[in-house]
Amino acid sequence: AQSVTQPDIHITVSEGASLELRCNYSYGATPYLFWYVQSPGQGLQLLLKYFSGDTLVQGIKGFEAEFKRSQSSFNLRKPSVHWSDAAEYFCAVGGPKLKTSYDKVIFGPGTSLSVIP
Amino acid sequence: KAGVTQTPRYLIKTRGQQVTLSCSPISGHRSVSWYQQTPGQGLQFLFEYFSETQRNKGNFPGRFSGRQFSNSRSEMNVSTLELGDSALYLCASSLQVGASGELFFGEGSRLTVL
């Protein structure tokens, strides 16, 4: 079965500093990978997605992520963090394979980001 | 284009009661998924409906049920509420069925069970 781990429960960075949030996945086929962000009291918003092709994908709000098949990773990065980036970030895995065990998007436990002004 | 709408946003119930939550997907989206979000368990998949049929179900007891109407609107029901059912219930719609597409989330329905 597929699974997603996010090793960092909470990260604190200073405004203007760079950011990297880690994500590792387990999936028995070619994965579809997603990063979502959740602000307090809100639903989840898609930041970026990887389906195939170029392993470096660009998303909204200046975020990017790199898919590394050999490491089963899909880490999220941002070169300069803004105070408004403080939120919960979720990595998720899905896929095109229409088998029951693969037929739902699975989310990681999330990483809470705090930004120091 | 209107986003995913969930109602009610907040509700308080007591143990043993039942609750019905509603979700209106983005126009044209036929897939609706439900997730339960709690601090301890994170986001857990409840079920997915597509064209009025339940396509997939997570590991929740039978007290959790859902349905989808011909206009793609979906409802989920929790009967015989327990304290542990207190959570944020998120609905997401998608153009694609299953795990192959982007999910568009509503703001959720926050259920408190006393």
Side-chain angles (χ1 to χ4, degrees):
Chain A
Q2 71 269 44
S3 66
V4 181
T5 55
Q6 294 179 246
D8 303 305
I9 296 173
H10 185 258
I11 285 182
T12 300
V13 300
S14 298
E15 192 169 17
S18 64
L19 171 71
E20 182 170 30
L21 302 182
R22 296 181 291 164
C23 171
N24 292 96
Y25 67 90
S26 173
Y27 192 77
T30 303
Y32 289 173
L33 295 161
F34 309 87
W35 273 100
Y36 286 84
V37 61
Q38 184 180 33
S39 297
Q42 303 290 314
L44 279 71
Q45 180 186 22
L46 182 73
L47 285 175
L48 46 78
K49 59 191 176 189
Y50 171 79
F51 284 178
S52 64
D54 192 349
T55 57
L56 184 63
V57 294
Q58 303 296 322
I60 62 172
K61 305 184 181 186
F63 286 92
E64 66 177 27
E66 186 172 13
F67 169 56
K68 293 185 177 180
R69 185 186 302 274
S70 61
Q71 298 177 21
S72 296
S73 70
F74 189 56
N75 293 349
L76 181 72
R77 301 194 293 251
K78 187 170 184 178
S80 178
V81 170
H82 188 262
W83 65 266
S84 60
D85 293 325
E88 189 90 14
Y89 291 80
F90 295 92
C91 182
V93 64
K97 209 171 175 81
L98 293 181
K99 280 188 178 179
T100 301
S101 59
Y102 298 134
D103 206 10
K104 55 185 178 286
V105 177
I106 297 297
F107 288 82
T111 296
S112 177
L113 174 66
S114 296
V115 180
I116 301 173
Chain B
K1 202 177 210 184
V4 177
T5 304
Q6 291 189 245
T7 58
R9 288 291 313 278
Y10 303 91
L11 64 167
I12 299 174
K13 294 285 187 179
T14 57
R15 281 179 298 173
Q17 288 187 310
Q18 74 166 16
V19 65
T20 299
L21 309 178
S22 178
C23 172
S24 293
I26 292 172
S27 177
H29 287 193
R30 293 160 61 194
S31 167
V32 173
S33 298
W34 289 89
Y35 287 82
Q36 181 196 64
Q37 185 178 27
T38 58
Q41 300 296 318
L43 280 152
Q44 295 203 289
F45 175 80
L46 280 157
F47 28 64
E48 180 192 11
Y49 287 86
F50 184 84
S51 295
E52 302 179 66
T53 301
Q54 186 181 86
R55 286 208 75 254
N56 207 347
K57 191 178 190 310
N59 295 322
F60 280 83
R63 300 185 296 107
F64 291 80
S65 63
R67 59 177 175 169
Q68 187 180 35
F69 302 95
S70 58
N71 62 356
S72 293
R73 189 177 70 85
S74 177
E75 288 181 348
M76 68 163 284
N77 183 276
V78 188
S79 63
T80 319
L81 284 166
E82 301 176 358
L83 295 179
D85 297 332
S86 294
L88 181 66
Y89 290 88
L90 291 164
C91 163
S93 73
S94 178
L95 280 170
Q96 285 86 17
V97 68
S100 57
E102 174 184 351
L103 297 176
F104 294 82
F105 283 85
E107 293 187 316
S109 293
R110 183 164 296 282
L111 170 65
T112 301
V113 182
L114 301 177

